[in-house]
């Protein structure tokens, strides 16, 4: 039996850093499902497709070849092209949030995530891993943090990558995107009593990782 660890939560709670370290501690692949929605967002922008056009996006998602190569950092390929470095901008974040509301896009990507997870197990981070992708796993964690703390983390990350951004704009974008992700009809960001909820606002990364690893082993 392969081990699946689901780590869900809104943007800026430290999901990526935590998931990567949990994966390393448990010797499992780290699967960043948000990167896949970002890939479709980028593909839509590249093809001049409106990110709310469900019909065109369904076609795009059906035809796009998304490959995901676990590693450090994991690589995302779109039609054979390595787009890992292109999908972390605020523009792609918003495009990803829009395309992720389209059921046909979710169907394609959820299938890909299930196939990847079933191969070798994995630590999957996203919004719906424990509710939709692997609802049967006993290892479900929902990370939360206060909105200002999350925006500050996102801001620091963008600045460290050399992006020129304004803190209030990052805060507004983060609040808007979380609202979109939480109120969409298909697989909204949510958790139930099968999750262990961890508020990361006042915890260090290693404290969060230690709690998760301890709960699994
Ligand atoms: O985790 P992230 O910021 O890279 O995710 C980008 C967008 O993709 C996010 O706004 C919501 C969406 N997403 C989703 O709907 N389901 C997932 N499993 C992962 C991400």
């Amino acid at each position: 039996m392969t081990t699946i660890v689901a780590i869900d939560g809104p943007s800026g709670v430290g999901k990526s850093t935590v998931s990567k370290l949990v994966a390393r501690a448990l010797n499992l692949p780290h699967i960043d499902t948000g990167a896949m929605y970002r890939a479709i967002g980028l593909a839509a922008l590249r093809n001049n497709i409106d990110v709310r056009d469900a019909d065109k996006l369904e076609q795009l998602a059906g035809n796009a070849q998304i490959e995901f190569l676990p590693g450090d950092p994991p690589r995302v390929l779109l039609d054979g092209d390595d787009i890992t470095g292109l999908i972390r901008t605020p523009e792609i974040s918003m495009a990803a949030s829009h395309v992720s509301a389209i059921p046909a896009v979710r169907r394609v990507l959820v299938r890909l995530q299930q196939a990847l997870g079933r191969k070798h197990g994995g630590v999957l981070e996203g919004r719906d891993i424990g509710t939709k992708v692997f609802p049967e796993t006993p290892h479900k964690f929902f990370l939360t943090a206060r909105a200002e703390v999350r925006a500050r983390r996102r801001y620091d990350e963008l600045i460290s990558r050399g992006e020129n951004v304004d803190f209030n704009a990052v805060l507004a974008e983060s609040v808007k995107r979380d609202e979109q992700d939480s109120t969409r009809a298909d697989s909204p960001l949510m958790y139930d009593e099968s999750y262990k909820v961890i508020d990361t606002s006042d915890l260090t990364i290693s404290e969060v990782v230690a709690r998760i690893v301890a709960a699994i082993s």
Side-chain angles (χ1 to χ4, degrees):
M1 243 279 291
T2 51
T3 303
I4 297 285
V5 181
I7 301 188
D8 288 317
S11 57
V13 284
K15 272 196 317 278
S16 287
T17 315
V18 166
S19 304
K20 185 168 85 179
L21 293 172
V22 169
R24 199 177 289 164
L26 299 175
N27 200 20
L28 289 170
H30 168 216
I31 301 172
D32 172 5
T33 65
M36 300 178 187
Y37 291 94
R38 289 171 181 272
I40 298 290
L42 176 70
L45 297 186
R46 277 186 172 174
N47 291 286
N48 283 321
I49 293 174
D50 182 333
V51 289
R52 293 179 193 79
D53 186 333
D55 289 342
K56 291 226 173 87
L57 283 167
E58 173 163 11
Q59 240 182 20
L60 178 77
N63 294 333
Q65 272 299 325
I66 295 184
E67 288 164 84
F68 193 74
L69 312 176
D72 191 11
R75 316 301 307 177
V76 190
L77 309 189
L78 173 64
D79 299 326
D81 190 12
D82 188 338
I83 55 161
T84 315
L86 304 176
I87 53 173
R88 299 287 157 195
T89 65
E91 190 191 14
I92 298 295
S93 297
M94 208 31 107
S97 177
H98 282 299
V99 302
S100 72
I102 313 272
V105 171
R106 303 202 69 83
R107 261 199 312 278
V108 170
L109 296 188
V110 166
R111 242 183 271 130
L112 180 60
Q113 292 153 18
Q114 290 170 332
L116 280 171
R118 281 189 194 121
K119 250 195 223 159
H120 307 290
V123 177
L124 285 88
E125 59 163 292
R127 305 290 188 289
D128 61 340
I129 307 303
T131 54
K132 288 285 159 72
V133 185
F134 286 106
E136 66 282 6
T137 181
H139 310 304
K140 302 183 192 181
F141 301 88
F142 194 92
L143 306 188
T144 62
R146 296 187 293 274
E148 294 72 17
V149 174
R150 295 191 283 110
R152 170 63 57 190
R153 290 176 183 161
R154 189 59 100 183
Y155 174 79
D156 289 346
E157 186 192 329
L158 289 166
I159 291 291
S160 76
R161 246 189 279 121
E163 303 263 346
N164 181 17
V165 286
D166 167 69
F167 175 75
N168 286 321
V170 173
L171 176 61
E173 193 250 28
S174 152
V175 168
K176 177 150 185 263
R177 193 150 70 91
D178 291 339
E179 159 142 13
Q180 272 170 206
D181 296 343
S182 306
T183 54
R184 67 184 178 216
D186 188 351
S187 316
L189 171 65
M190 54 170 268
Y191 60 88
D192 58 27
E193 66 293 335
S194 63
Y195 278 82
K196 183 174 170 52
V197 181
I198 303 176
D199 185 337
T200 70
S201 302
D202 303 310
L203 296 176
T204 63
I205 294 284
S206 30
E207 286 170 329
V208 180
V209 172
R211 284 191 192 192
I212 294 177
V213 171
I216 291 170
S217 5

